[in-house]
Amino acid sequence: MSSPLSSAPHASDTPHVIDPAGGCPHALNSRLRAQGAVAEVVLPGGVPGAVVLGHQALKEFLAHPDVAKDGRHFPALHDGTIPPDWPLRVFANAQGMHTADEADHRRLRALVGKAFTARQVERLRPRIEELTAGLLDDLERAAAGSPDGTADLRTHVALPLPMSVICELLGVDPEHRGRLHHLSNTVIVSTDTAPAEVLAAVRELVELIGAIAAARRADPGEDLTSALIAAREGDGDRLSEAELTGTMRLMLIAGHETTLNLISNAVRALCTHRDQLALVREGKATWSDVVDETLRWDGPVSWFPFRYPTRDLTLDGTVIPRGTPVLAGYTAAGRDEAFHGPDADRFDLTRPTAARSLSFGHGGHYCVGAPLARLEATIALERLFARFPDLDLALPEGELPRQRSFIGNSVEALPVRLTRAAPA
């Protein structure tokens, strides 16, 4: 396949070949960003593409009227160039709010948006606080029962909190939640998974979501899935079966995977920057500041697929040809010195531009669940450090196992001690 980008004065002549196993993205982001705000990449499977790395360039790109999300604007996906078992097809072929454009996107977003307004989300605060208290009990029991006094914060708090909330919103029975996370991690997050395994996980995930929808169809409740089904059955042209499944899949996956990483990354940041934690305790910064700065400095999503220019598009001096699959480089934009200043690599809760990160997107596809993710993370962090003020990492930051992904940005496990170890 040919190189997708035209030459530019600041562009590298050699495209970056994406490692499916991912890893910490920040050094790579810095190297590529130094060459320009847009970089040529080779996606897994040898597919040529691009990534937008600069803050201003990404902001422009995300809201550009000549950029689409529907996979029909990706010619290589349909002309036989890309094999049927390409693992990243799951992002391009999905039908739902996240891959719809213009009127279709507005229609689908309107169906779910009412559940995620700031007012509706605030009504969930008591339930989120109740869930958090119970999960912190679990974390304490796990640490007390382990031989070394440690427990995995992701397993006991960061994962079950957003998973429980989104599943309760959608009316998903508790027995499905563990499997849903395993499948979503296989399909979306773990980008080094073998193609056959991805395809099998996609099939099982679609079947499981179909079973969840069937259960709600047979026994409707006050949940969002029942509301989506009612909208479809009341006016058949509003929501197709594929759109129903795709929208549910989006909400289930995005509704927990990103918040899981956000909470994990915030805890890692605070444990390795005790001076910033002290600012919160002294009232010089807030837990909302922690969430905002984490989103900028170490966001939960690194390079997210896909958007497609519907014409040859010039972005920061680089021409991205029509139909190129483009990744949104959220972690790269978060540390862009051109926007965030020469100390962009520093975790700083007093940074005035922290709230202007692009981690939740920009424009018409701005994350509809952003208010919920912020609330969950803020409550979790506040309650965690209030109850365990000496909580610390059980391993040095550099030894924590990274997610095997170039999409998700976090660690696979986050072992913590609830009291800091005495100095050796």
Side-chain angles (χ1 to χ4, degrees):
M1 300 181 191
S2 61
S3 170
L5 305 190
S6 67
S7 61
H10 53 274
S12 171
D13 292 333
T14 305
H16 169 70
V17 179
I18 293 177
D19 181 356
C24 183
H26 299 301
L28 172 62
N29 284 337
S30 179
R31 177 170 63 82
L32 293 178
R33 202 173 48 239
Q35 299 168 4
V38 181
E40 181 180 353
V41 298
V42 179
L43 296 159
V47 177
V51 58
V52 183
L53 306 154
H55 177 98
Q56 294 290 14
L58 182 57
K59 185 176 181 179
E60 177 184 350
F61 182 74
L62 293 176
H64 202 287
D66 296 319
V67 173
K69 294 206 76 179
D70 192 322
R72 67 188 176 86
H73 295 285
F74 183 11
L77 198 69
H78 313 289
D79 64 8
T81 303
I82 297 175
D85 65 348
W86 188 47
L88 297 182
R89 272 186 180 271
V90 65
F91 294 94
N93 285 345
Q95 294 186 46
M97 185 171 64
H98 58 310
T99 55
D101 296 311
E102 299 178 342
D104 280 340
H105 175 251
R106 291 191 293 271
R107 170 176 58 89
L108 295 169
R109 191 178 178 96
L111 290 172
V112 302
K114 294 177 182 178
F116 294 99
T117 64
R119 176 178 294 183
Q120 287 297 104
V121 166
E122 185 59 30
R123 292 178 180 176
L124 298 173
R125 180 181 291 274
R127 179 56 178 153
I128 295 172
E129 291 174 340
E130 178 185 16
L131 286 167
T132 300
L135 294 172
L136 294 181
D137 289 342
D138 292 342
L139 180 70
E140 188 168 28
R141 282 192 292 268
S146 69
D148 59 358
T150 69
D152 183 5
L153 188 84
R154 282 174 70 88
T155 297
H156 294 286
V157 179
L159 168 60
L161 177 60
M163 176 60 93
S164 296
V165 173
I166 195 64
C167 284
E168 288 182 8
L169 277 174
L170 286 166
V172 177
D173 294 332
E175 60 265 26
H176 296 312
R177 296 174 189 177
R179 192 61 184 167
L180 280 170
H181 173 64
H182 170 77
L183 292 171
S184 71
N185 192 272
T186 301
V187 171
I188 301 297
V189 178
S190 299
T191 49
D192 68 338
T193 306
E197 187 177 350
V198 172
L199 292 176
V202 169
R203 286 193 294 269
E204 184 179 349
L205 183 59
V206 170
E207 290 172 1
L208 181 53
I209 291 174
I212 293 166
R216 296 283 66 80
R217 189 176 281 113
D219 184 21
E222 298 297 319
D223 55 84
L224 187 52
T225 300
S226 297
L228 290 171
I229 291 170
R232 175 172 187 261
E233 294 180 346
D235 185 358
D237 66 353
R238 294 195 69 204
L239 191 69
S240 70
E241 188 67 24
E243 288 172 337
L244 172 64
T245 301
T247 299
M248 289 178 64
R249 183 169 74 181
L250 168 67
M251 289 188 292
L252 282 166
I253 295 174
H256 85 275
E257 292 283 2
T258 53
T259 308
L260 160 63
N261 285 357
L262 173 57
I263 294 171
S264 301
N265 292 359
V267 170
R268 289 167 47 231
L270 291 171
C271 287
T272 54
H273 298 80
R274 309 300 294 198
D275 60 323
Q276 299 300 301
L277 179 58
L279 291 179
V280 182
R281 289 175 170 158
E282 294 164 4
K284 298 176 181 177
T286 67
W287 292 108
S288 292
D289 293 331
V290 174
V291 170
D292 285 334
E293 180 67 346
T294 302
L295 287 166
R296 180 201 71 82
W297 185 74
D298 202 18
V301 176
S302 190
W303 294 4
F304 194 77
F306 288 118
R307 282 173 165 84
Y308 318 97
T310 57
R311 62 170 176 82
D312 290 357
L313 183 68
T314 302
L315 200 64
D316 194 52
T318 298
V319 178
I320 308 175
R322 179 181 65 85
T324 300
V326 182
L327 302 161
Y330 294 116
T331 51
R335 297 198 186 188
D336 182 4
E337 294 182 354
F339 180 79
H340 293 290
D343 65 344
D345 279 335
R346 184 163 62 90
F347 184 72
D348 179 7
L349 298 184
T350 67
R351 187 182 303 277
T353 60
R356 286 186 273 164
S357 81
L358 299 171
S359 286
F360 284 126
H362 178 67
H365 280 273
Y366 182 83
C367 178
V368 70
L372 178 58
R374 288 182 181 277
L375 182 63
E376 290 170 338
T378 302
I379 290 173
L381 294 167
E382 180 180 10
R383 298 302 174 89
L384 176 69
F385 283 98
R387 182 157 170 180
F388 309 114
D390 292 325
L391 180 140
D392 205 0
L393 303 181
L395 290 174
E397 165 74 11
E399 296 180 16
L400 294 172
R402 297 289 311 192
Q403 283 185 326
R404 297 185 64 79
S405 177
F406 64 86
I407 296 174
N409 173 47
S410 193
V411 292
E412 288 284 359
L414 188 57
V416 296
R417 286 191 179 88
L418 304 187
T419 57
R420 298 184 73 184

